[in-house]
Amino acid sequence: MSAPAIAVVGLSDAGKSTWLGALCDTMETHIESRPVRIEMDGVPALFHELRGLRDALNVGNYPPHTAIVHHADLQYPLRCTNAKGIERFVLDVSDYSGERISRLYRRADSHVWDDGWKERAGRTRLAVLLRADDIRRLSRRGLEPAAPRKGLAHVIPTEHQPDISEAERHPPTALALIEALQAMRAWRRVGMGAQLEVGAERVAILLTAWDKISVETRNRGPSAFLDQGAPLLAAWLRSNFRAKDLRVYGLSATGGDLSDQTHAKRVREVGVAAAGYVEHGDPMQRIHDVSVPLEWLLFGKHLSDP
Amino acid sequence: MICHQVWHAYDAGHGLRAASIALSPDERALLDDLTDLAGYLEPGQGFTHYDMGYPCGRFYAFSRTWPDLENQRPGTVQTHSFLLSPQDAQLLPDPRVLDNAFFPRPFRERSSPAFSLEINPAPVTQPVTPFEERVRLIDSWFGTDVRPLILRSHAAESVAWLWRRLPAWQRSRLAYCTYTVRARSLRHRPFDILGAAPGSRFSQGHDSVPKLSDIAREDLRILVDEGAAQQFWQAAALEGVGEVDARLWARFRSLEKNADANPAAALGALDLLPAFLATNDGVALRGRVVDRVIRPLEQRAAGEQVPGELANLAVRDLDRVVEGANRRLNLVLEAFLRARLPMLDAADLSATAGLLRAAARGGRGEVIDRVLTEVLVSSSSAALWEVAWMVRSDAAWQVWQQLPNRRREEVGPILLKLSLSALGGMFPFVFEDDDLWSWVETRDEVIGFVGAELERLIAAGQDWPPDRRMRLPAQRLAPRFLASSAPLPPPILRRAIAGRFCEEPEALPAAPEQVPQWLIAEWARYTSVGDLGNLLGARPRVFSRIVAALAEHDPNEGLDRWEAMLSAASGDALLDIPGPESVPGRADLRARWARKVGPIAIERYIDSRIELDKCAAWVAVAHDDQRVVDALEGVPIRSAERVISLLRHPMAAWLRRRPDIVLQAIARWMHTDNLLDGGGSEVLCAFLLELRSDSPTAYEAAASGILAGILEHPAPQLAKLAAETFPILHDRLCKDRKEHWLIRMLEHLWGGDWDRAGHLRERYARAWFDARWSGTNLWDAAAHDSRLFKQLLREVKHLSEGRQRLRGIRDFLPDSARELVDDVL
């Protein structure tokens, strides 16, 4: 049987590369006290790009943009080592680049699958990244000269109607992600609103740039934030996945803003693995290990929890 | 000609920013992908711009990509593309005419509207390339499934050269890129990577155009060289070494010579080491440096006794020195390997292997593995794979397992040759790898190669039997050897193939005549009966040939093996085991075979209900009645019809002499429902009729048994049989049984031919009378058929006290029946 694969999905600038870089540093930083360790599992050449992302972070810069064509091969064999043994899995960033998800949203005849999508739409473990501080909403037209009105447009004021051209340029976060996730489920012949049995699929929502959210909002927890910040996405997720198979994390892969020189210096000193953290749960807890969501995706629980 | 413009740049994702024409989704998707090809760059790496040209939907696209330095996010690009109709694109004399038209847009103008241009290139000149060259050219570009062609590393000149030489209609099918792209990054795209780099055969001289695959291999090699050399010099610069020159080399040598006497000088030599490691002499030197300098330092660091002046250095210093030396050596070794490994040829093998081994012993295996894996991924150099195989086989093996099929085509034969040549025992694991052999089995040329290699090894007197490492590949390849028109394989191969087919007989051809005689002989002579078991089950006809071959080869030995085979055979496998006619013709031998094998054969044949001819033949030669009797008794119940067949068969003459045995068997069959399936009663009737004419006594005995069986297990299918049987047996039946049987008989016959059974009526009436059954019983037995009821009543009336009895039953009958009684009375 092939190893399970975790797909990483997110729009452009969602923080995928930053998280992967921090993840790489976490994997290569040995911490005695950590009971569960995610490690690389393959020849070093396979992790060349991943290390490049890590290196950029550790000198205090955000990683460079990853070209579309290069997404095709970004699959990393990893393993999770804990007291009970070793679980091998694949972290798959391939073909879920922000540009491709945007394209999926944009195309009228959507779900035109290339081979990469077909191969990977079967992934049942998804890490969905969206920037907590930049959840893009559907643009409205504003007060433009009235265009011919059709259908429901009669009852919707012009300024509240969607701005299609802007939406194509910058797809609304929730809609684009729902479109992508729904398309992947459709490929697997899972109907809308169908909830598979517990454990059949798991989705971890990673709210990146979590440190940029105000303390009061953060304290209410990532789930509450998602409900408030992306209610459509939250409702869609809750109606399509079982509660046990859905978890929301606040993720600060770098622990702060690298454009802040003070923080960038700290990252240079301690390394991004030590600086990054995730927050989750109720009551909320902070864990300085950005690989925790992978652990949950693999096992449905945090092995390190008591 | 009209020239549409498109700009792509990064703005929360790379995408279309402005276009002078509406694009279809497919065109836009392709442009989105190919306008952002630069991808991951190492720190410090960069580029000024690169050009591409490719078919794109309704257009042919020419584009230029720049790094987007204005964008906050690093790694982003901006691309300006011109879209021409394919017809117009063909007319361009050279893509470079657009050079001056490309320009990057300032950040704030990225999304400004774009407009189409009208350009008027120089008058078209058709290429003057000679016809033969053009054919070769087209063949080299398009005679492959790999498309489009992407050129690498400042290949604009090559593109222009190619463009000028291609006929116009072919230009629009060409795709090129003057940027380096990592081959494996283009999976799931309709592209593949092939290269043309400066200095390659392709770009050096255009007098001959090699095949595309040759271009690719050659250019990739050179490109790897370039990259490795660049990294080497980067590493060397980091170390402050600079370029290697003769003076440094001489100084190092002198310091190194004095290392024993003056360790401090040896430490100084270390600083120069990186430069020398890049030379051939440095390769040989590496081992000595480890011995004389590094190792004492490491010993000292570990607290061991170190002689000479090294002992005077502080441990802290030593640690620092050792650490620094190690780090430097790692760096330099890595740079050296990157530079040198891709250029390896056979002459360097020994020295390089020595260097790698020494370095690995010195704890630098990780460095070697890292470089090797990176280099091997894109290399098909036999020398490189060989050295990797020899020194770091695990790393090489990991790379092989991760190679795509296309690369395996190139590397596979190299690994096989190395592995097969390595009977010294270096790489046993390769022989156990299903992955490799599954791949081998699909390649005719590799099969031929392996076969030849095996023969060569055998001729060289390699150990056998059985060398496990040789047997496995031979077994894996067995079906292919059969399929090929190969001559007689050598003995070890024959044995391996024979064993393979015993394990997997389904791989054999279904037609036995397609199995070569040498294989039959191999099985007959050397393969145990146990091993042949699978073969017997799956390919009995092949098996029969084996037995025949065995008998021909050695009757004495064959006797035992045949006996064992017959015992092991089951079911249909017996069908094709040859009969006694295949026993060699000598009378004494035949008699021996008959005595020993005959009884077993008879038993097995009868038991299996098949091959009566052979069974009879064996009976004829075995003369062992008792065996047959015993066997017949054990005949499975369902095979009753086989007995009948036997009776009609030449063997029947013998069986008729022993009807008791047949009847015993029949009596046993009667007690099962199986007899009733599939016309069992017909079978038994036929049997009885056969028997009646041959042996009345036996017939009566059989009928009695059948009747008893019917009474025990009445069933409609047996009615006819009973009707035939009863008249003979009636008088022998006891009273109770008779009555019971009569009722049953009437029930069975009622729907049939009553008139034919008329002789039973009287008997039935008497039985009814004797049993003092009720009138209703009789009425019911007649199925309320007035005609038959009256016939029965008449029979009863003629009996003594019949009238009284009828009067007695009258009142208990229904009205309609009562009238019938009155009529009869």
Side-chain angles (χ1 to χ4, degrees):
Chain A
M1 201 175 79
S2 60
I6 296 176
V8 181
V9 181
L11 287 166
S12 295
D13 278 349
K16 297 186 293 295
S17 300
T18 309
W19 180 48
L20 291 174
L23 200 58
C24 175
D25 201 38
T26 304
M27 287 190 285
E28 296 198 323
T29 305
H30 183 67
I31 299 174
E32 284 291 347
S33 60
R34 200 189 305 158
V36 182
R37 281 187 296 121
I38 307 277
E39 298 168 317
M40 297 171 183
D41 188 26
V43 295
L46 291 177
F47 303 96
H48 190 62
E49 290 93 343
L50 209 55
R51 290 202 170 99
L53 300 177
R54 185 268 318 271
D55 293 344
L57 287 171
N58 278 341
V59 296
N61 296 325
Y62 283 111
H65 159 64
T66 311
I68 301 172
V69 288
H70 288 250
H71 282 278
D73 235 14
L74 298 185
Q75 290 188 44
Y76 302 113
L78 304 180
R79 64 173 180 242
C80 180
T81 311
N82 59 70
K84 291 180 182 174
I86 292 177
E87 173 85 6
R88 289 188 158 78
F89 66 104
V90 176
L91 190 65
D92 182 2
V93 196
S94 312
D95 272 327
Y96 297 119
S97 72
E99 286 86 351
R100 287 184 180 277
I101 290 176
S102 300
R103 189 184 303 167
L104 197 65
Y105 170 78
R106 196 168 57 224
R107 295 183 77 151
D109 55 342
S110 65
H111 315 169
V112 176
W113 298 86
D114 64 17
D115 290 343
W117 275 104
K118 286 174 187 171
E119 181 182 319
R120 297 176 182 96
R123 303 281 186 257
T124 55
R125 304 285 185 264
L126 295 176
V128 180
L129 279 80
L130 63 159
R131 271 184 78 128
D133 66 333
D134 184 23
I135 296 179
R136 209 157 39 229
R137 291 178 169 72
L138 186 61
S139 309
R140 304 294 169 177
R141 282 183 180 171
L143 295 171
E144 287 178 354
R149 294 182 168 197
K150 295 178 184 174
L152 281 178
H154 284 296
V155 294
I156 302 174
T158 309
E159 63 271 24
H160 291 310
Q161 290 180 21
D163 182 344
I164 304 297
S165 59
E166 175 59 21
E168 279 203 0
R169 194 184 302 268
H170 296 302
T173 306
L175 293 182
L177 285 176
I178 289 172
E179 182 75 7
L181 296 174
Q182 186 60 48
M184 289 161 68
R185 281 163 62 87
W187 179 258
R188 301 207 314 266
R189 299 183 182 282
V190 180
M192 260 192 186
Q195 292 189 337
L196 303 184
E197 60 188 35
V198 173
E201 50 187 0
R202 287 195 195 106
V203 178
I205 303 293
L206 307 186
L207 298 166
T208 58
W210 187 241
D211 53 272
K212 288 195 175 178
I213 305 304
S214 68
V215 176
E216 302 83 61
T217 311
R218 277 212 314 254
N219 285 342
R220 285 199 288 273
S223 284
F225 179 88
L226 187 71
D227 288 342
Q228 199 173 19
L232 183 63
L233 177 63
W236 185 86
L237 289 168
R238 297 221 162 83
S239 58
N240 282 278
F241 299 95
R242 295 188 183 276
K244 284 189 175 178
D245 294 331
L246 179 66
R247 184 165 287 201
V248 186
Y249 294 90
L251 166 69
S252 178
T254 54
D257 190 350
L258 291 183
S259 54
D260 172 3
Q261 287 307 312
T262 313
H263 185 69
K265 184 182 174 193
R266 177 171 170 264
V267 168
R268 279 197 293 273
E269 287 169 354
V270 302
V272 70
Y277 62 85
V278 292
E279 289 185 343
H280 73 99
D282 184 21
M284 198 170 65
Q285 52 177 320
R286 174 177 291 196
I287 305 173
H288 280 278
D289 181 352
V290 296
S291 67
V292 162
L294 295 183
E295 192 182 318
W296 178 80
L297 281 169
L298 278 181
F299 304 107
K301 59 183 178 182
H302 297 147
L303 299 181
S304 48
D305 285 350
Chain B
M1 60 183 68
I2 301 299
C3 196
H4 303 288
Q5 298 190 83
V6 179
W7 271 275
H8 282 77
Y10 188 89
D11 178 13
H14 179 88
L16 181 69
R17 295 295 158 242
S20 64
I21 187 174
L23 298 168
S24 75
D26 287 336
E27 290 162 354
R28 185 167 169 184
L30 185 62
L31 282 166
D32 282 354
D33 278 358
L34 292 188
T35 52
D36 186 17
L37 203 65
Y40 175 76
L41 292 172
E42 296 282 356
Q45 276 187 330
F47 61 95
T48 53
H49 66 257
Y50 62 88
D51 295 339
M52 293 187 74
Y54 47 93
C56 177
R58 295 166 291 162
F59 308 104
Y60 190 89
F62 295 96
S63 65
R64 175 164 291 182
T65 301
W66 301 266
D68 188 356
L69 302 177
E70 288 185 87
N71 202 305
Q72 283 190 333
R73 184 159 189 190
T76 56
V77 296
Q78 184 189 178
T79 301
H80 181 197
S81 306
F82 289 111
L83 304 179
L84 280 72
S85 74
Q87 295 76 21
D88 288 348
Q90 294 170 15
L91 301 178
L92 283 188
D94 182 336
R96 287 179 299 184
V97 300
L98 295 170
D99 268 2
N100 294 329
F102 288 119
F103 67 95
R105 279 187 158 187
F107 189 76
R108 68 184 66 173
E109 296 175 14
R110 296 274 165 83
S111 300
S112 303
F115 303 97
S116 303
L117 301 176
E118 182 166 356
I119 60 173
N120 296 299
V124 179
T125 52
Q126 281 297 323
V128 291
T129 315
F131 178 76
E132 293 77 12
E133 184 181 345
R134 204 185 308 168
V135 169
R136 285 204 307 274
L137 189 64
I138 292 169
D139 184 39
S140 67
W141 284 144
F142 302 105
T144 169
D145 293 335
V146 178
R147 65 185 172 77
L149 187 71
I150 297 179
L151 303 169
R152 301 170 58 155
S153 290
H154 315 295
E157 290 297 323
S158 301
V159 171
W161 176 89
L162 177 67
W163 190 273
R164 287 195 302 273
R165 276 159 181 76
L166 280 175
W169 63 273
Q170 288 281 17
R171 289 176 181 168
S172 58
R173 294 181 57 191
L174 174 69
Y176 64 88
C177 173
T178 60
Y179 184 68
T180 59
V181 183
R182 293 181 62 186
R184 69 187 189 86
S185 300
L186 292 174
R187 206 151 60 85
H188 293 313
R189 302 284 175 271
F191 307 106
D192 208 338
I193 183 80
L194 293 170
S200 72
R201 269 199 292 157
F202 177 71
S203 55
Q204 274 174 351
H206 305 312
D207 50 338
S208 69
V209 180
K211 282 280 190 189
L212 193 61
S213 52
D214 295 335
I215 296 174
R217 201 168 294 128
E218 178 71 13
D219 294 344
L220 283 176
R221 192 178 76 79
I222 289 171
L223 281 172
V224 170
D225 291 353
E226 287 176 347
Q230 188 181 3
Q231 291 188 33
F232 166 72
W233 289 119
Q234 282 176 355
L238 283 176
E239 291 294 304
V241 173
E243 292 190 3
V244 178
D245 64 23
R247 285 172 302 162
L248 286 172
W249 169 233
R251 186 171 163 218
F252 177 83
R253 290 299 300 271
S254 70
L255 287 170
E256 195 267 337
K257 278 180 187 170
N258 297 324
D260 288 337
N262 183 3
L267 292 177
L270 275 181
D271 290 333
L272 300 173
L273 189 60
F276 305 122
L277 283 178
T279 68
N280 276 334
D281 285 334
V283 170
L285 196 63
R286 171 71 182 86
R288 294 208 296 278
V289 171
V290 170
D291 285 342
R292 295 189 184 187
V293 182
I294 303 298
R295 194 155 297 146
L297 291 177
E298 287 172 348
Q299 286 173 347
R300 181 69 182 86
E304 296 176 16
Q305 185 69 32
V306 178
E309 295 184 24
L310 281 176
N312 297 329
L313 293 172
V315 170
R316 191 185 57 216
D317 294 337
L318 280 179
D319 284 346
R320 184 177 53 77
V321 169
V322 168
E323 186 187 344
N326 265 332
R327 187 171 58 83
R328 277 198 298 277
L329 282 173
N330 281 347
L331 270 174
V332 172
L333 182 65
E334 183 171 341
F336 166 75
L337 293 178
R338 285 183 193 285
R340 184 53 54 94
L341 287 183
M343 293 188 292
L344 269 185
D345 58 32
D348 292 337
L349 271 184
S350 174
T352 307
L355 165 72
L356 293 179
R357 286 205 184 96
R361 279 199 304 273
R364 304 187 202 290
E366 190 183 342
V367 176
I368 297 171
D369 286 351
R370 184 167 66 240
V371 178
L372 271 179
T373 50
E374 288 177 17
V375 176
L376 287 175
V377 160
S378 58
S379 172
S380 304
S381 154
L384 178 58
W385 276 94
E386 184 166 354
V387 83
W389 212 236
M390 286 163 61
V391 182
R392 306 298 292 176
S393 51
D394 284 346
W397 192 242
Q398 282 197 47
V399 173
W400 157 259
Q401 287 176 316
Q402 294 173 18
L403 284 182
N405 280 338
R406 184 166 50 79
R407 296 271 297 111
R408 288 185 173 196
E409 297 280 351
E410 300 163 0
V411 178
I414 300 172
L415 294 195
L416 275 176
K417 180 168 185 177
L418 292 172
S419 306
L420 290 172
S421 305
L423 275 182
M426 287 177 70
F427 319 113
F429 57 87
V430 71
F431 292 102
E432 296 166 5
D433 186 82
D434 282 347
D435 200 26
L436 178 64
W437 290 110
S438 299
W439 174 81
V440 165
E441 284 176 12
T442 64
R443 302 295 188 281
D444 284 331
E445 68 281 8
V446 182
I447 302 286
F449 161 73
V450 174
E453 193 70 10
L454 286 170
E455 293 206 41
R456 186 186 66 75
L457 292 169
I458 295 155
Q462 298 291 346
D463 286 343
W464 186 271
D467 189 308
R468 180 162 159 265
R469 285 165 295 137
M470 295 303 293
R471 193 178 61 181
L472 277 170
Q475 285 189 351
R476 295 300 303 261
L477 299 174
R480 297 302 296 257
F481 277 114
L482 283 199
S484 70
S485 55
L488 181 67
I492 62 164
L493 203 51
R494 293 206 294 268
R495 211 155 301 173
I497 292 171
R500 161 76 188 275
F501 285 119
C502 286
E503 292 171 10
E504 197 181 337
E506 294 78 13
L508 267 181
E513 52 277 8
Q514 290 178 3
V515 178
Q517 192 56 40
W518 58 260
L519 190 52
I520 298 287
E522 188 69 31
W523 278 318
R525 296 185 61 179
Y526 298 113
T527 309
S528 72
V529 173
D531 288 344
L532 285 172
N534 284 338
L535 189 66
L536 181 60
R539 292 284 186 273
R541 291 172 64 202
V542 172
F543 188 78
S544 71
R545 294 186 62 201
I546 298 174
V547 176
L550 183 64
E552 187 177 347
H553 170 66
D554 183 354
N556 292 322
E557 184 191 349
L559 199 64
D560 294 334
R561 285 167 65 80
W562 202 334
E563 182 182 350
M565 288 173 197
L566 281 166
S567 302
S570 63
D572 294 343
L574 279 168
L575 272 170
D576 291 298
I577 292 185
E581 71 281 0
S582 59
V583 177
R586 281 165 47 199
D588 57 331
L589 199 56
R590 195 180 176 87
R592 278 183 56 204
W593 275 77
R595 275 197 301 278
K596 181 150 190 182
V597 182
I600 296 172
I602 294 167
E603 189 175 336
R604 297 291 291 143
Y605 284 133
I606 292 183
D607 186 42
S608 303
R609 295 150 285 156
I610 52 177
E611 287 302 289
L612 294 175
D613 286 338
K614 284 180 186 164
C615 188
W618 278 112
V619 168
V621 296
H623 302 296
D624 190 344
D625 293 354
Q626 191 54 46
R627 278 279 187 178
V628 183
V629 171
D630 294 344
L632 196 57
E633 279 185 353
V635 170
I637 289 146
R638 277 179 178 277
S639 58
E641 72 272 25
R642 283 292 166 193
V643 177
I644 306 306
S645 303
L646 283 173
L647 289 169
R648 291 174 181 145
H649 196 267
M651 192 176 164
W654 180 87
L655 277 178
R656 286 190 184 111
R657 294 201 304 272
R658 303 295 302 273
D660 50 324
I661 297 304
V662 180
L663 291 173
Q664 278 180 33
I666 290 173
R668 284 173 53 194
W669 306 331
M670 291 293 299
H671 293 279
T672 74
D673 292 339
N674 291 333
L675 182 63
L676 307 180
D677 297 338
S681 61
E682 298 286 341
V683 167
L684 280 183
C685 280
F687 167 70
L688 288 173
L689 292 173
E690 290 271 350
L691 203 58
R692 186 164 58 184
S693 63
D694 197 58
S695 172
T697 308
Y699 168 63
E700 286 189 15
S704 175
I706 290 169
L707 197 57
I710 292 170
L711 292 176
E712 288 290 325
H713 300 280
Q717 297 94 319
L718 296 179
K720 184 181 174 188
L721 177 67
E724 293 284 347
T725 312
F726 175 72
I728 305 165
L729 301 175
H730 177 259
D731 294 338
R732 298 185 184 182
L733 292 172
C734 67
K735 185 183 173 192
D736 290 344
R737 306 288 284 173
K738 197 186 298 178
E739 289 160 358
H740 177 69
W741 184 85
L742 274 170
I743 294 297
R744 295 290 182 181
M745 281 295 296
L746 282 172
E747 285 171 357
H748 296 322
L749 293 174
W750 208 257
D753 187 356
W754 174 253
D755 290 335
R756 262 192 72 196
H759 59 284
L760 293 177
R761 290 197 304 270
E762 183 268 335
R763 289 192 175 101
Y764 178 74
R766 175 170 292 282
W768 175 83
F769 186 84
D770 291 348
R772 298 191 175 278
W773 289 332
S774 70
T776 308
N777 179 276
L778 193 63
W779 173 243
D780 290 342
H784 305 190
D785 179 312
S786 56
R787 185 176 68 90
L788 299 178
F789 187 57
K790 282 174 77 174
Q791 286 178 341
L792 283 174
L793 292 177
R794 286 190 196 105
E795 298 287 351
V796 173
K797 188 178 79 173
H798 295 144
L799 296 174
S800 171
E801 298 180 353
R803 285 175 173 273
Q804 294 89 325
R805 182 71 184 280
L806 291 179
R807 286 192 196 99
I809 67 171
R810 179 183 176 283
D811 296 338
F812 298 97
L813 287 169
D815 291 344
S816 54
R818 204 179 295 165
E819 290 174 5
L820 297 176
V821 175
D822 292 341
D823 286 349
V824 171
L825 287 173

